Amino acid sequence: MQHPWSRPLPPVSPTGAAYMVIENHGQQPDALIGVSTPIAGHAELHEHVHQGDLMKMQQIERVEIAPGDRVEFVPGGYHVMLFDLRQPLTADTAYALTLEFERAGALEVEVRVHEQPSPAADRAVHDHHGQGHHH
């Protein structure tokens, strides 16, 4: 699990979204089958789909993750939708998100709220981790 994040939103926003990268380090396929968070009335897995010239969001029941594979939840792709927000997504705050996997079970992550990370900054983080530093 890498870099779970949400965009900051105005306090009046009833919905929000969470993004992350999920990696399956196991030998078996797994699937993300549900999400929940104490800060929202309910949360759903969504994807953006192109239908002709239209882009629309739809709820999906599961996201398959093959062994050794990674699935990116990004703006314009897979994402977690948060409905009936009970607290605003304010920049530089964080909230708990529980991911429910078919095989691995429940995994709680901390989602940071900040503006969308730039690809360059993201690459720098990955390069840094690739140099044998342990935190």
Side-chain angles (χ1 to χ4, degrees):
M1 175 64 52
Q2 297 176 11
H3 315 303
W5 68 283
S6 285
R7 279 196 180 102
L9 296 169
V12 294
S13 296
T15 61
Y19 311 100
M20 70 206 79
V21 177
I22 300 174
E23 296 181 342
N24 181 353
H25 294 293
Q27 303 298 312
Q28 302 289 330
D30 206 344
L32 180 61
I33 56 173
V35 282
S36 62
T37 174
I39 71 157
H42 70 284
E44 297 176 357
L45 300 172
H46 278 230
E47 68 176 341
H48 278 100
V49 288
H50 291 279
Q51 292 191 328
D53 294 337
L54 295 176
M55 179 89 144
K56 67 172 209 159
M57 280 193 319
Q58 67 181 25
Q59 183 181 1
I60 51 177
E61 295 302 316
R62 56 194 286 125
V63 177
E64 302 281 346
I65 308 147
D69 204 1
R70 58 189 274 158
V71 175
E72 298 194 17
F73 282 60
V74 294
Y78 289 124
H79 56 283
V80 174
M81 277 301 297
L82 311 172
F83 295 95
D84 305 322
L85 285 175
R86 297 178 179 139
Q87 71 182 54
L89 297 182
T90 308
D92 301 320
T93 62
Y95 61 90
L97 182 71
T98 301
L99 306 173
E100 186 73 36
F101 291 93
E102 203 165 56
R103 285 180 176 272
L107 173 69
E108 185 173 296
V109 298
E110 181 181 76
V111 180
R112 308 292 310 173
V113 181
H114 56 74
E115 294 297 340
Q116 183 171 356
S118 71
D122 200 40
R123 266 201 307 277
V125 168
H126 286 265
D127 291 347
H128 178 73
H129 285 299
Q131 294 170 4
H133 294 290
H134 297 289
H135 298 284

